[in-house]
């Protein structure tokens, strides 16, 4: 339950996350993408949150909260919006950056 970073040659460069519910931790990461600045966007499905980290793993922000998602599985940035796929609710949700 962590994000691992590898070079194109397959060399392990680092990792971040770890099991837990703190902002810097992940419960059950499913989807991952990068935003326009290179930050890592992670759908932490069991915690029902989208968490954003710098490329070196520092926590930046989270999207969601009580009742925002049922089962978020992926998130991408499109312009000024974060687009989240919520599997259990069978819908796509957009959030202003």
């Amino acid at each position: 339950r962590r994000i691992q970073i590898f070079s194109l040659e397959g060399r392990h460069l680092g990792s971040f996350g770890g099991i837990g519910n703190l902002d810097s931790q992940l419960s059950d990461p499913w989807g991952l993408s990068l935003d326009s600045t290179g930050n890592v966007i992670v759908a932490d499905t069991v915690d029902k949150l989208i968490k954003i980290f710098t490329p070196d793993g520092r926590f930046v922000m989270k999207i969601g909260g009580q009742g925002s998602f049922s089962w978020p599985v992926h998130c991408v940035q499109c312009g000024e919006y974060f687009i989240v796929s919520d599997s259990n609710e069978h819908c796509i949700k957009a959030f202003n950056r």
Side-chain angles (χ1 to χ4, degrees):
R1 300 199 179 119
R2 65 183 182 262
I3 305 302
Q4 298 187 68
I5 316 256
F6 293 88
S7 71
L8 292 176
E9 295 79 29
R11 186 172 44 94
H12 185 261
L13 301 175
S15 62
F16 61 89
I19 299 171
N21 299 99
L22 299 175
D23 287 342
S24 62
Q25 298 174 318
L26 299 164
S27 282
D28 199 8
W30 279 37
L32 183 144
S33 66
L34 300 177
D35 72 12
S36 60
T37 62
N39 288 328
V40 180
I41 304 169
V42 182
D44 196 0
T45 302
V46 170
D47 274 348
K48 298 176 175 53
L49 293 169
I50 302 300
K51 294 185 177 181
I52 302 173
F53 300 89
T54 61
D56 62 351
R58 285 179 287 126
F59 175 78
V60 175
M61 66 179 282
K62 61 187 169 189
I63 301 169
Q66 190 67 25
S68 294
F69 306 114
S70 175
W71 201 254
V73 294
H74 196 65
C75 179
V76 296
Q77 178 193 8
C78 182
E80 291 300 312
Y81 295 94
F82 289 105
I83 312 298
V84 181
S85 173
D86 193 326
S87 180
N88 277 1
E89 292 186 18
H90 308 286
C91 69
I92 305 296
K93 297 179 178 182
F95 294 83
N96 256 351
R97 188 173 174 101

